[in-house]
């Protein structure tokens, strides 16, 4: 399982990459693997504001559906519209396929997330 | 009569195989005090001939539209059903099947639903239809519920009271959820009060609803409502009579986002109110939001065209406590009947039937006026209108004495419906009887 | 590959003809103002009658019903649908009734309706019934609406939650959500039953009620039902019974006696009405006297020797369906109950349970049965033994199609990994069950020795497995003219 070092993770299998005030969020390799073939992504609207852990979108596979919870609070700056037509990108390259970019509301939120090592252990635990 | 094939000797053998000494052993996990003592308080079983007589007796206690000309409408219509349809529906591969969960063994049913969806899209002009809903009323309630669920800060449903009164009742019951605030706008002179509806629409309005033709048979012009609701980023919902769509502007042409309605006119028996056919179609943007099952076209491993239940992530079995609708079983066989109907009458046939209904209604209007009677409303109609009578209950009673099933009783009028089954002679008699009592 | 009906269109081939009629036939443009008239054509297909008939006949040959063979679809009770029921529903004296005819012209229909209310009340041990809901899920919705109306009437507004076991059918949590309740999931214990501790912990004065299926979705009777009822009732909640599994206790035990306050029954399962390839069903709801005032309107009442509608129910939740329910389906279930009578219904329940336990017993050597003990009308096995060979439950289901069977329900209930839920019903003979056992054993053997056969199944069906992913990613949901 691929778990890049430079990202932060949630226990709902989302990742966030941080660049200054901006975070980009997506789902992890573990998440895409367990969902199976992803068929649809419902994206948030640009300009919408969310608290940490709010559901900002929905990801559907053939047999399952999950909410996408934002790892940090903030306002949506941009969404990855490519996913509307090509949801399979989330299966093919989960860490290259960000879902939404968010202007971080409170950087302290990031302290509550897992680093790669902690997330790897978390996943290992789930598998056992 | 019983339908359990195993005689007692075989039952004993099976019991022995599984290590039980009696059928009672099979219920050892149920506390004794919960068990039915002795037997249920029901009559004993009957042989087929006896049951047949009993059902024949009950059916014989009724007066039916097969033997009496019927001018009742109000949401259920006495249309002709082609003989081929009745025969085809008895193919038991259709009617004894369950939902087509396993596509490889259910292609016939899946294809029939795909064809049904296409026909509903053609009738309504919209992009996507589900595989059916329970009936016209619950379909409308589900459409409103969808509109409210689809937008975070809108929960108002602005609806004209010229919609079928039972549909309004159903909508109000569904609103027990607390997810919808229903604003009923009183009509005037038999049609929607368009100005009042436009005024009632604001940025908290999730949808506006108009029925076409409305409950009184009158054609509505919803143009201003459509404009107002779309300006407020809400949805325009139309409840429509499918047969009338052969002549009348489609919901898509009126700008509707969702069309719902009762499909009973399309080859489904009156059956005292059910089973009928709720249909729902919507524009493309709502494809992944509308309730109910949807069949999609795909390919099998050999690349052959195949059909399958799709977009299931919307549905209760996957979305569970997040599902926006709980519908599971629908009215598939009625949907099949309607697509058989549309195939058997064809494009021109449907227009001919709708036109005949319309002409018969116009003829009746004209004859009533000649006989000195008054229409309750004068606006254009499709196949149904309200005729003023002093005492509607009494008028219906006298009609029945003359071998006619009369109209739907309004306060001071009878709402009369005309289908292609009615003849000039029947209408002349209707006019003569009602003209005689006024 | 059969064509779609639209692909069989031939201009002017449709023979449909109206009767002649000598009334004025004005142009539509004279009678309907232009703004109401349709511009775009509908473009329905035109076919000769024989071609239309062949089209649908061909479709029927590509479908599978109970009349085609064994249909052990768990939770769906695919019993034989007696033909006399179909005959009865098509009698002109029923099929030709308009719902708004005056009561005096429909006395036979009302009598049937009234008797049906009474018979169902007796069968499930409730005080009153409404036959209005159109299906099981619709019955659930009606029942939960009544529970809500009940609490609201008592001004008990803080009850905002409904409890549902983790083994429940999807319609249960979906129903609670649709009626505006938050769903609290109750765990199952290792015996496959409601975990009483979890229930006790979660029951409080914010809970409006519990939705339960009994026998549950594992086919197991909730033995602690009286204690479950006491916990919920003591906490001020009500008990909802999902009647999908009534066949497992039919004539033997009654939900009303177990403490349930409101139930729905599925006429299209327990009472032999056909499922129509997806519907129509019928999901009447029954209530104890505490909830009678909230029933949907109208109910049918008997006054002296005549029958009539009572709309005067001021606390009623209103209506959930047009008119009075799926009457045509109700006729079939009525015919069935009259045919079987008290003894016949009990025998149906007993034989359903016998057949399920017989299959469970015969299949237990070859398949893993996670909870292998006395079941009611159905049981759940899985593909654990076959998983070593890479065979899943889906593969087994598909291989059954090759052998000419409709597969059982798969991947439900969710609490069993790779579940396969088998419900034979009482209308299968021992010979049929034995044949099925032989086939299942053959598939177990193939899984180990000829794995490819199972993985590539079906080979004998009209199509191979389908691409569901593309269907959902790039949906094609209607035919487009080329
Ligand atoms: C346990 C259970 N509950 C509820 C339902 C829903 O019933 P219906 O499909 O009639 O709405 C089903 C149907 O499969 C079921 O199995």
């Amino acid at each position: 399982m691929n778990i890049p070092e430079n990202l932060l993770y949630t226990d709902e299998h989302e990742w966030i990459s941080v660049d200054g005030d901006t975070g980009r969020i997506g789902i992890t390799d573990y998440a895409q693997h367990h969902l199976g073939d992803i068929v649809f992504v419902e994206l948030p609207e640009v300009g919408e504001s969310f608290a940490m852990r709010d559901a900002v979108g929905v990801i559907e596979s053939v047999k399952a559906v999950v909410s996408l919870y934002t790892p940090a609070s903030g306002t949506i700056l941009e969404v990855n519209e490519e996913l509307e037509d090509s949801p399979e990108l989330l299966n093919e390259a989960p860490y290259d396929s960000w879902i939404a970019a968010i202007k971080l509301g409170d950087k302290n939120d990031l302290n509550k997330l897992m680093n790669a090592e902690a997330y790897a252990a978390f996943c290992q635990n789930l598998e056992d | 009569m019983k339908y359990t094939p195993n005689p007692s000797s075989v039952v004993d053998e099976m019991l022995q195989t599984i290590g039980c000494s009696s059928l009672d052993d099979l219920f050892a996990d149920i506390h004794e005090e919960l068990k039915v003592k002795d037997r249920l308080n029901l009559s004993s079983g009957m042989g087929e001939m006896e049951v047949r007589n009993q059902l024949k007796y009950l059916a014989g206690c009724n007066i039916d539209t097969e033997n009496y000309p019927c001018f009742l409408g109000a949401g259920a219509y006495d249309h002709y059903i082609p003989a081929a349809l009745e025969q085809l529906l008895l193919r038991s591969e259709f009617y004894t099947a369950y939902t087509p969960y396993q596509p490889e063994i259910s292609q016939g049913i899946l294809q029939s639903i795909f064809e049904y969806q296409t026909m509903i899209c053609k009738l309504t002009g919209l992009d996507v239809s589900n595989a059916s809903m329970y009936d016209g009323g619950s379909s409308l309630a589900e459409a409103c519920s969808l509109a409210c669920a689809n937008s975070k800060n809108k929960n108002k449903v602005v609806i004209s009271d010229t919609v079928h009164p039972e549909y309004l009742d159903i909508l109000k019951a569904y609103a027990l959820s607390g997810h919808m605030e229903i604003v009923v706008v009183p009509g005037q002179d038999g049609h929607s009060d368009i100005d009042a509806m436009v005024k009632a629409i604001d940025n908290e309005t999730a949808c506006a609803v108009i029925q076409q033709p409305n409950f009184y048979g009158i054609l509505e012009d919803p143009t201003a409502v459509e404009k107002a609701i779309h300006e407020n980023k809400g949805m325009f919902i139309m409840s429509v009579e499918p047969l009338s769509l052969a002549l009348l502007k489609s919901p898509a042409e009126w700008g509707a986002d969702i069309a719902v309605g009762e499909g009973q006119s399309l080859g489904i028996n009156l059956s005292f109110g059910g089973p009928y056919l709720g249909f729902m179609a919507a524009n493309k943007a709502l494809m992944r939001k509308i309730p109910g099952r949807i069949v999609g076209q795909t390919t099998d491993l050999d690349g052959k065209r195949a059909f399958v239940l799709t977009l299931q992530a919307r549905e209760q079995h996957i979305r569970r406590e997040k599902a926006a609708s709980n519908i599971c079983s629908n009215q598939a066989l009625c949907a099949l009947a309607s697509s058989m109907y549309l195939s058997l009458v064809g494009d021109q046939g449907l227009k001919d039937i709708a036109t005949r209904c319309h002409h018969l209604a116009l003829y009746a209007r004209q004859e009533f006026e000649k006989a000195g009677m008054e229409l309750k409303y004068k606006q254009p109609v499709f196949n149904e209108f309200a005729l003023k009578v002093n005492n509607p209950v009494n008028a219906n009673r006298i009609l029945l004495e003359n071998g006619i099933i009369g109209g739907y009783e309004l306060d001071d009028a009878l709402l009369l419906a005309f289908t292609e089954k009615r003849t000039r002679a029947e209408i002349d008699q209707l006019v003569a009887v009602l003209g005689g009592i006024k | 590959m059969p064509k779609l009906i639209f692909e069989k269109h031939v201009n002017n081939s449709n023979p449909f003809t109206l009767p002649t009629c000598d009334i004025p036939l004005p142009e539509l443009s004279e009678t309907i103002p232009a703004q109401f008239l349709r511009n775009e054509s509908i473009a329905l297909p035109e076919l000769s009658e024989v071609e239309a008939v062949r089209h649908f006949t061909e479709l029927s040959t590509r479908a599978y019903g109970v009349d085609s063979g064994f249909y052990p679809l768990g939770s769906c009770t695919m019993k034989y649908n007696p033909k006399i029921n179909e005959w009865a529903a098509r009698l002109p004296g029923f099929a030709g009734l308009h719902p708004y005819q005056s009561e005096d012209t429909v006395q036979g229909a009302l009598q049937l309706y009234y008797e049906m209310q009474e018979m169902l009340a007796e069968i499930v041990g409730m005080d009153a019934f409404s036959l209005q809901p159109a299906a099981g899920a619709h019955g659930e919705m009606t029942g939960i609406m009544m529970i809500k109306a009940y609490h609201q009437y008592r001004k008990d507004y803080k009850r905002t939650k409904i409890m549902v076991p983790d083994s429940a059918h999807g319609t249960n949590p979906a129903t609670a959500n649709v009626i505006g309740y938050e769903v609290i999931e109750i765990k199952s214990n290792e015996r496959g039953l409601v975990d009483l501790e979890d229930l006790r912990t979660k029951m409080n004065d914010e809970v409006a009620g519990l939705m339960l299926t009994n026998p549950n979705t594992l086919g197991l009777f909730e033995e602690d039902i009286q204690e479950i009822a006491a916990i919920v009732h003591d906490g001020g909640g009500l008990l909802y019974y999902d009647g999908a599994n009534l066949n497992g206790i039919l004539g033997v035990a009654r939900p009303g006696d177990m403490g349930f306050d409101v139930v729905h029954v599925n006429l299209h399962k327990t009472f032999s009405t056909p499922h129509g390839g997806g519907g129509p069903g019928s999901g009447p709801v029954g209530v104890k006297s505490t909830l009678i005032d909230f029933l949907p309107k109208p109910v049918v009442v008997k006054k002296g020797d005549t029958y009539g509608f009572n709309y005067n129910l001021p606390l009623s939740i209103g209506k959930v369906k047009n008119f009075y329910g799926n009457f045509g389906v109700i006729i079939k279930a009525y015919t069935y109950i009259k045919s079987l009578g008290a003894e016949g219904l009990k025998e149906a329940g007993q034989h359903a349970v016998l057949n399920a336990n017989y299959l469970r017993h015969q299949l237990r050597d070859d398949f893993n049965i996670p909870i292998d003990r006395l079941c009611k009308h159905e049981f759940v096995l899985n593909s654990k033994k076959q998983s070593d060979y890479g065979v899943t439950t889906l593969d087994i289901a598909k291989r059954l199609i090759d052998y000419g069977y409709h597969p059982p329900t798969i991947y439900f209930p969710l609490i069993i990994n790779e579940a396969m839920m088998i419900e034979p019903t009482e209308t299968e003979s021992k010979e049929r069950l034995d044949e099925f056992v032989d086939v299942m054993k053959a598939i177990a053997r193939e899984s180990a020795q000829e794995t490819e056969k199972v993985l590539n199944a079906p080979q004998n069906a009209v199509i191979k497995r389908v691409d569901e992913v593309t269907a959902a990613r790039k949906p094609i949901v209607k035919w487009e003219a080329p």
Side-chain angles (χ1 to χ4, degrees):
Chain A
M1 180 125 26
N2 182 8
I3 302 178
E5 283 297 328
N6 55 338
L7 306 175
L8 294 169
Y9 299 91
T10 71
D11 55 6
E12 298 275 359
H13 309 283
E14 292 100 359
W15 56 259
I16 184 167
S17 70
V18 181
D19 180 8
D21 279 348
T22 305
R24 279 180 200 278
I25 60 182
I27 60 166
T28 64
D29 196 21
Y30 182 97
Q32 72 79 19
H33 178 76
H34 283 264
L35 276 166
D37 292 311
I38 291 166
V39 297
F40 180 67
V41 185
E42 187 178 315
L43 301 167
E45 275 183 36
V46 173
E48 270 187 289
S49 296
F50 295 97
M52 182 175 176
R53 295 279 167 135
D54 273 359
V56 298
V58 177
I59 298 166
E60 298 179 2
S61 66
V62 174
K63 297 273 141 87
V65 55
V66 292
S67 295
L68 174 74
Y69 300 99
T70 174
S73 60
T75 305
I76 304 293
L77 292 172
E78 204 184 338
V79 294
N80 185 355
E81 281 169 9
E82 211 183 345
L83 294 174
E84 284 179 346
D85 283 327
S86 306
E88 62 274 14
L89 293 174
L90 289 179
N91 292 117
E92 291 162 6
Y95 297 108
D96 296 335
S97 311
W98 57 280
I99 296 172
I102 188 165
K103 183 164 172 14
L104 295 173
D106 180 356
K107 280 203 156 184
N108 288 325
D109 291 348
L110 302 173
N111 300 332
K112 298 167 197 153
L113 303 174
M114 288 179 267
N115 62 19
E117 192 185 345
Y119 179 64
F122 175 75
C123 292
Q124 189 57 45
N125 231 335
L126 290 179
E127 291 294 286
D128 295 341
Chain B
M1 190 70 197
K2 58 183 190 177
Y3 302 102
T4 37
N6 290 324
S8 61
S9 57
V10 174
V11 167
D12 289 344
E13 195 188 321
M14 291 168 75
L15 283 168
Q16 211 175 1
T17 307
I18 63 173
C20 285
S21 55
S22 73
L23 287 169
D24 288 341
D25 283 5
L26 295 169
F27 298 92
D29 49 358
I30 303 181
H31 284 293
E32 275 315 309
E33 74 252 36
L34 290 181
K35 287 190 184 155
V36 173
K37 305 284 165 292
D38 194 22
R39 51 170 263 172
L40 292 170
N41 185 18
L42 298 173
S43 53
S44 293
M46 294 179 186
E48 185 169 309
M49 282 182 272
E50 224 177 328
V51 175
R52 202 176 174 110
N53 287 338
Q54 162 80 1
L55 271 297
K56 221 168 159 173
Y57 163 76
L58 288 174
C61 297
N62 306 316
I63 281 175
D64 61 72
T65 55
E66 191 66 30
N67 296 298
Y68 285 66
C70 170
F71 293 94
L72 263 174
Y77 300 90
D78 179 29
H79 290 290
Y80 181 72
I81 299 177
L85 190 164
E86 293 188 324
Q87 293 269 322
L88 286 167
L89 264 199
L90 283 169
R91 300 281 309 184
S92 70
E93 298 88 341
F94 289 136
Y95 82 79
T96 72
Y98 204 79
T99 303
Y101 292 132
Q102 299 285 343
E104 300 87 350
I105 200 169
S106 317
Q107 281 301 298
I109 291 194
L110 288 161
Q111 180 175 334
S112 81
I113 298 170
F114 185 81
E115 292 176 351
Y116 162 82
Q117 290 172 182
T118 304
M119 290 190 197
I120 293 296
C121 289
K122 283 172 171 289
L123 284 171
T124 58
L126 289 162
D127 305 314
V128 52
S129 157
N130 69 14
S132 71
M133 308 293 288
Y134 302 135
D135 64 6
S138 61
S139 187
L140 175 59
E142 289 259 14
C144 296
S145 164
L146 157 61
C148 293
N150 199 39
S151 129
K152 273 188 198 139
N153 34 33
K154 294 178 189 283
N155 70 342
K156 226 159 84 177
V157 175
V158 172
I159 184 167
S160 168
D161 83 344
T162 57
V163 164
H164 195 300
E166 292 206 15
Y167 292 23
L168 278 173
D169 286 345
I170 295 167
L171 179 61
K172 286 176 194 159
Y174 275 59
L176 253 172
S177 66
H179 299 153
M180 295 190 272
E181 183 200 335
I182 312 296
V183 181
V184 179
V185 180
Q188 48 168 212
D189 194 25
H191 60 86
S192 299
D193 186 340
I194 298 290
D195 290 344
M197 284 187 81
V198 169
K199 281 203 193 92
I201 293 169
D202 58 25
N203 61 8
E204 284 171 16
T205 310
C207 60
V209 185
I210 292 226
Q211 177 178 320
Q212 180 83 304
N214 73 20
F215 182 67
Y216 304 103
I218 291 169
L219 304 185
E220 302 264 17
D221 185 343
T223 312
V225 170
E226 182 269 330
K227 188 158 167 275
I229 188 68
H230 282 152
E231 276 169 8
N232 283 278
K233 297 202 160 44
M235 291 184 201
F236 180 43
I237 299 176
M238 288 185 83
S239 175
V240 290
E241 213 311 303
L243 180 62
S244 76
L245 294 178
L247 309 182
L248 300 179
K249 212 177 238 185
S250 71
E253 289 175 308
W254 285 116
D257 302 281
I258 308 177
V260 293
E262 174 52 68
Q264 179 270 334
S265 293
L266 308 177
I268 295 162
N269 278 315
L270 281 168
S271 271
F272 204 40
Y276 289 176
L277 166 66
F279 64 85
M280 182 186 289
N283 63 31
K284 204 165 188 165
L286 294 169
M287 168 125 60
R288 290 175 194 270
K289 301 283 181 188
I290 69 170
R293 297 180 178 130
I294 296 178
V295 170
Q297 179 182 313
T298 184
T299 50
D300 78 349
L301 286 175
D302 292 342
K304 273 203 270 185
R305 178 164 68 186
F307 301 94
V308 66
L309 291 173
T310 192
L311 306 177
Q312 296 192 61
R314 302 163 293 116
E315 291 185 72
Q316 45 76 28
H317 59 288
I318 293 180
R319 233 183 184 92
R320 294 178 73 86
E321 74 279 357
K322 294 202 177 89
S325 167
N326 70 341
I327 191 167
C328 182
S329 289
N330 52 27
Q331 303 280 120
L333 198 71
C334 300
L336 175 62
S338 75
S339 61
M340 287 175 179
Y341 179 83
L342 292 170
S343 307
L344 287 163
V345 303
D347 197 66
Q348 188 57 43
L350 195 75
K351 271 185 219 142
D352 291 348
I353 294 166
T355 308
R356 174 65 60 85
C357 296
H358 177 63
H359 280 149
L360 288 168
L362 293 186
Y363 173 72
R365 267 182 127 170
Q366 168 199 313
E367 294 301 300
F368 278 126
E369 284 185 319
K370 273 194 208 156
M373 299 190 71
E374 204 185 328
L375 305 178
K376 189 166 161 72
Y377 309 114
K378 299 260 178 348
Q379 294 99 322
V381 298
F382 168 54
N383 73 332
E384 199 164 14
F385 61 84
L387 176 78
K388 273 197 180 165
V389 291
N390 279 334
N391 182 339
V393 177
N394 188 47
N396 264 344
R397 191 180 51 75
I398 295 172
L399 282 171
L400 193 62
E401 284 166 11
N402 284 275
I404 292 174
I405 297 173
Y408 179 88
E409 291 155 13
L410 301 170
D411 286 344
D412 58 349
L414 282 182
L415 184 62
L416 297 163
F418 299 81
T419 70
E420 73 287 358
K421 277 172 77 177
R422 300 289 70 83
T423 62
R424 177 177 182 158
E426 287 167 359
I427 293 173
D428 289 345
Q429 200 203 352
L430 174 79
V431 174
V433 174
L434 286 176
I437 51 175
K438 299 222 171 143
Chain C
M1 190 65 224
K3 289 182 177 173
L4 288 167
I5 193 142
F6 310 101
E7 295 161 345
K8 298 179 178 173
H9 166 86
V10 176
N11 270 336
N12 299 321
S13 64
N14 187 294
F16 183 83
T17 316
L18 284 169
T20 52
C21 183
D22 61 339
I23 57 166
L25 305 173
E27 288 295 322
L28 287 178
S29 55
E30 291 168 28
T31 61
I32 299 179
Q35 84 256 35
F36 297 110
L37 287 173
R38 184 168 188 125
N39 298 314
E40 253 170 60
S41 83
I42 299 177
L44 290 170
E46 299 258 336
L47 281 82
S48 63
E49 180 168 316
V50 60
E51 285 307 323
V53 167
R54 283 185 184 148
H55 178 76
F56 290 104
T57 304
E58 182 183 15
L59 291 188
S60 78
T61 65
R62 296 159 66 85
Y64 187 103
V66 175
D67 288 1
S68 317
F70 189 37
Y71 214 125
L73 192 67
S75 209
C76 300
T77 314
M78 295 298 280
K79 58 173 77 176
Y80 171 65
N81 311 129
K83 301 304 162 195
I84 186 78
N85 301 357
E86 299 301 312
W87 169 85
R90 285 170 172 79
L91 283 169
F94 292 135
L97 297 185
H98 190 288
Y100 286 138
Q101 283 179 228
S102 58
E103 289 175 7
D104 55 325
T105 66
V106 291
Q107 282 298 302
L110 291 173
Q111 180 179 342
L112 185 152
Y113 202 95
Y114 177 82
E115 283 184 30
M116 191 67 177
Q117 290 175 176
E118 299 284 300
M119 293 191 303
L120 289 176
E122 167 64 16
I123 292 169
V124 296
M126 304 305 278
D127 295 321
F129 252 89
S130 163
L131 311 184
Q132 207 173 95
H138 208 209
E140 291 173 36
M141 172 185 254
T142 309
I144 300 301
M145 281 177 179
M146 284 192 271
I147 289 178
K148 191 161 191 177
Y150 165 88
H151 289 305
Q152 286 186 347
Y153 179 70
R154 295 158 47 99
K155 307 215 172 352
D156 192 350
Y157 298 117
K158 63 186 173 309
R159 295 190 187 267
T160 54
K161 298 171 184 165
I162 290 275
M163 301 190 296
V164 174
D166 54 9
S167 60
H169 191 260
T171 50
N172 293 185
T175 299
N177 177 47
V178 164
I179 302 306
Y181 282 111
E182 186 189 328
V183 174
I184 310 285
E185 199 168 85
I186 305 296
K187 285 205 273 287
S188 302
N189 63 24
E190 66 289 351
R191 297 188 70 231
L193 304 176
V194 167
D195 184 319
L196 289 181
E197 270 325 295
D198 198 41
L199 181 69
R200 261 191 215 103
T201 321
K202 288 174 179 163
M203 183 65 215
N204 60 36
D205 63 2
E206 292 180 358
V207 174
L210 168 71
M211 299 179 84
L212 202 64
T213 316
N214 194 16
N216 66 24
T217 61
L218 292 162
L220 303 172
F221 189 79
E222 294 282 354
E223 295 163 18
D224 302 318
I225 182 58
Q226 287 152 301
E227 197 167 345
I228 292 172
I231 293 169
V232 175
H233 284 153
D234 291 350
L238 295 176
L239 248 78
Y240 184 87
Y241 181 84
D242 175 341
N245 292 348
L246 182 65
N247 215 43
I249 54 169
L250 186 61
V252 175
R254 311 190 304 170
D257 300 332
M258 300 171 198
F260 286 96
D261 302 287
V262 47
V263 317
H264 85 258
V265 296
N266 298 59
L267 300 187
H268 49 293
K269 296 182 180 180
T270 318
F271 297 99
S272 87
T273 74
H275 199 260
S282 173
V285 283
V287 291
K288 291 279 177 60
S289 55
T290 38
L291 289 172
I292 281 186
D293 292 346
F294 305 100
L295 280 173
K297 58 189 178 185
V299 291
V300 174
V301 291
K302 188 174 180 186
K303 313 162 199 158
D305 285 338
T306 58
Y307 300 87
F309 289 117
N310 179 13
Y311 279 92
N312 185 16
L313 304 164
L315 296 182
S316 163
I317 56 163
K319 285 185 78 63
V320 294
K321 188 173 179 331
N322 298 151
F323 314 115
Y324 328 112
N326 280 345
F327 184 68
V329 178
I330 292 163
I331 297 167
K332 298 177 196 181
Y334 174 93
T335 308
Y336 178 73
I337 295 173
K338 284 287 177 190
S339 299
L340 266 62
E343 301 83 359
L345 290 176
K346 180 171 182 181
E347 189 181 293
Q350 289 173 323
H351 285 212
V353 173
L354 174 62
N355 282 358
N357 279 287
Y358 180 77
L359 279 187
R360 181 177 59 84
H361 187 271
Q362 304 298 67
L363 291 174
R364 60 152 60 115
D365 290 342
D366 297 86
F367 293 90
N368 178 52
I369 300 179
I371 302 178
D372 190 13
R373 59 186 171 82
L374 179 64
C375 64
K376 296 277 81 62
H377 62 302
E378 65 194 0
F379 66 100
V380 177
L381 53 74
N382 69 12
S383 52
K384 192 164 176 216
K385 289 189 181 172
Q386 288 69 38
S387 65
D388 291 348
Y389 313 106
V391 169
T392 64
T393 292
L394 183 75
D395 300 322
I396 298 171
K398 298 305 180 194
R399 187 63 181 146
L400 275 168
I401 294 176
D402 274 339
Y403 283 101
Y405 286 87
H406 193 287
T409 294
I410 53 176
Y411 300 102
F412 175 69
L414 306 182
I415 58 170
I416 301 286
N417 208 6
E418 293 281 317
M420 173 173 275
M421 184 193 228
I422 300 180
E423 179 180 15
T425 84
E426 72 279 10
T427 61
E428 296 303 324
S429 66
K430 176 172 175 296
E431 291 77 14
R432 284 276 174 200
L433 301 179
D434 287 339
E435 281 166 22
F436 178 70
V437 168
D438 289 345
V439 164
M440 285 293 282
K441 284 177 182 291
I443 295 175
R445 210 165 37 243
E446 288 170 352
S447 297
Q449 295 162 9
E450 297 173 273
T451 317
E452 292 302 307
K453 266 194 182 160
V454 184
L455 296 182
N456 294 328
Q459 293 292 326
N460 304 338
V462 294
I463 54 164
K464 303 274 169 59
R465 290 191 202 184
V466 305
D467 180 356
E468 296 189 46
V469 175
T470 308
R473 274 187 189 153
K474 307 254 179 298
I476 303 174
V477 295
K478 66 179 168 80
W479 177 79
E480 303 277 1

